[in-house]
Structures are given as C-alpha cells and as structure tokens.
C-alpha cells in the first residue's frame, strides 16, 4: 500500500504521484491492488509500435529512392513508392489516434480513403475508377462496418447516431456524380445511394425519437 504523508491518505491503485497534491508517495507498488487498468502502459506500447512503424516507412522510402538513383532516374518510379508509403502512414496514424472511438475512426478512414483514391487516380492518368468504384464501395463498406460495430458493442443510440447520419449524407457525393453523368459505371453508385436511403429509413423508423433528440442536441435547436 502506498501512503502520502502530506495528505495523510493511502492510495490503493498504484501511482507515482499523490492524486491530491501530486507529491511523491511512500510504500511499494502492489499490482494486485490495482483498481483500474494502467492506460499509460498501453499508450506507451502503442507509441513505441508506431515509432517503429514510422521508421520502417522512412527506411522503405530511403531504400526506394536509393535504388532508383543507383539505376538512374530514367523514370521516377520511387515517387510512387513514396506516395504509397505516405498514404499508408497517414491512414495508420489516424486509425491509431482515433482508436478509442470506433465510429469516428470508421468515418475518418472513409474520408481519407476517398482522398487517397482520388489522388492515385489523378497521378496515374485519371481513368475514373475512383468515382466509379472507389468512393461508392468505401461508403458501402462503412455502412456495414458501422452496423456491425453497433450490434457487437451494443452501443447506445447517442454514440453512433450522428456518424450514421454523416455517412448517409456522404452518399450525396455519388448521387451528384450520377446526376451529372460523371460516372461511367452506375451500379456501385446506385447501390451506395440505395444503402444510404435504407440506413436513414431504418434510423427514422426504429430510432426516430432518439434521432430527433440527438439532432436537436447537435444543432442546438
């Protein structure tokens, strides 16, 4: 058991500092008395793992540019390697930062994947696969992922309602592209819009009251 002389209290959960005065504690750490999980250890391990991952990414980029340089810059193929590693690093960084909120994580990853698909479609000569397949398929996948998270975690309505609405509103992008004839393959975009209509309908029918209350809270109406 740990003890603080200044506050004259005992601390059951192992700590380095007194929770009241932030002074040093006396006594020995007793892991069996730990009441709450030590999130600092988890964060430390996660941070170290991400540092190692970042170093591996930098090493891959340096190796690609070095090989390209040795063979001669007849074609700058290492630029694609740099872009790919950079996209992977950004997606991984956001996944780690937003890991405690799975719903927010899914929405952030979807938005980033849109940007990644558009970027790669552009730098490879714009064949339109990003708007024909990339954006609608990402939205369809997010629909499924959000509902799976809801059923697995049994999350309360306020935790996921706003993210469902945000993803459904995101389907306006493929809808606008469809209406303006910007897509050459219609099926993925049509399925995406249909999925958004079904999602909003399910929320309105089965969770209508909770949906209204949550929207009033978010919009302060």
């Amino acid at each position: 058991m740990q003890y603080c002389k200044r506050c004259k209290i005992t601390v059951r959960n192992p700590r380095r500092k007194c929770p009241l005065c932030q002074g040093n504690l006396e006594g020995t750490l007793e892991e069996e008395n730990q009441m709450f999980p030590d999130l600092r250890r988890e964060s430390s391990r996660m941070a170290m793992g991400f540092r190692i991952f970042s170093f591996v990414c930098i090493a891959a980029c340096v190796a690609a540019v070095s090989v390209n340089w040795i063979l001669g810059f007849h074609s700058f193929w290492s630029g694609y390697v740099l872009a790919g590693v950079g996209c992977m690093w950004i997606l991984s960084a956001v996944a780690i930062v937003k890991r405690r909120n799975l719903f927010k994580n899914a929405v952030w990853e979807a938005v980033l994947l849109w940007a990644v698909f558009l970027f790669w479609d552009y730098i490879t000569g714009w064949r339109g696969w990003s708007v024909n397949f990339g954006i609608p398929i990402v939205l369809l996948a997010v629909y499924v992922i959000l509902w799976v998270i809801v059923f697995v975690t049994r999350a309360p309505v306020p935790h996921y309602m706003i993210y469902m609405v945000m993803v459904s509103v995101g389907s306006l992008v493929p809808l606008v592209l469809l209406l303006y004839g910007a897509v050459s393959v219609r099926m993925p975009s049509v399925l995406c819009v249909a999925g958004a209509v079904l999602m909003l309908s399910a929320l309105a029918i089965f969770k209508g009251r909770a949906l209204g209350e949550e929207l009033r809270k978010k919009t302060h109406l």
Side-chain angles (χ1 to χ4, degrees):
M1 191 75 70
Q2 294 175 287
Y3 181 76
C4 177
K5 283 186 175 181
R6 182 180 302 176
C7 301
K8 301 190 183 311
I9 62 169
T10 56
V11 181
R12 293 182 60 188
N13 200 52
R15 301 175 63 98
R16 294 183 179 179
K17 300 289 184 180
C18 173
L20 299 180
C21 67
Q22 298 302 313
N24 293 327
L25 295 173
E26 296 185 358
T28 57
L29 296 174
E30 298 178 4
E31 296 293 337
E32 62 272 11
N33 291 330
Q34 185 163 342
M35 300 171 62
F36 307 104
D38 190 355
L39 298 180
R40 292 173 300 178
R41 295 182 179 179
E42 177 189 350
S43 299
S44 178
R45 288 195 295 267
M46 185 68 69
M48 178 56 67
F50 186 68
R51 290 192 187 100
I52 294 173
F53 171 71
S54 299
F55 178 78
V56 172
C57 289
I58 294 174
C61 292
V62 171
V65 174
S66 299
V67 172
N68 199 171
W69 200 346
I70 292 172
L71 298 178
F73 286 110
H74 306 294
S75 64
F76 189 55
W77 55 264
S78 59
Y80 292 101
V81 176
L82 298 178
V85 172
C87 293
M88 182 175 63
W89 186 89
I90 292 173
L91 291 170
S92 302
V94 172
I96 292 173
V97 171
K98 304 294 182 182
R99 69 185 182 279
R100 301 194 186 280
N101 188 330
L102 296 178
F103 299 105
K104 184 182 292 186
N105 198 332
V107 173
W108 269 96
E109 292 293 324
V111 173
L112 288 174
L113 280 173
W114 283 13
V116 168
F117 289 158
L118 290 170
F119 170 74
W120 277 97
D121 199 359
Y122 175 76
I123 67 174
T124 55
W126 189 261
R127 294 177 175 83
W129 58 265
S130 59
V131 293
N132 286 329
F133 302 101
I135 290 177
I137 288 176
V138 166
L139 278 171
L140 287 170
V142 173
Y143 297 157
V144 176
I145 291 171
L146 290 180
W147 282 114
V148 169
I149 295 173
V150 169
F151 286 115
V152 170
T153 63
R154 299 183 181 275
V157 174
H159 286 188
Y160 65 81
M161 187 69 68
I162 189 63
Y163 300 107
M164 295 282 194
V165 174
M166 289 171 60
V167 173
S168 299
V169 171
S171 66
L172 291 174
V173 174
L175 177 60
V176 171
L177 294 175
L178 270 173
L179 295 176
Y180 280 89
V183 297
S184 56
V185 182
R186 296 180 179 178
M187 187 177 70
S189 296
V190 171
L191 291 176
C192 175
V193 175
V197 173
L198 291 175
M199 178 181 286
L200 289 176
S201 300
L203 291 175
I205 293 172
F206 298 105
K207 301 291 184 179
R209 181 177 298 178
L211 175 61
E213 293 177 356
E214 190 64 19
L215 289 177
R216 281 194 294 272
K217 290 179 183 178
K218 298 297 183 182
T219 56
H220 301 288
L221 297 177

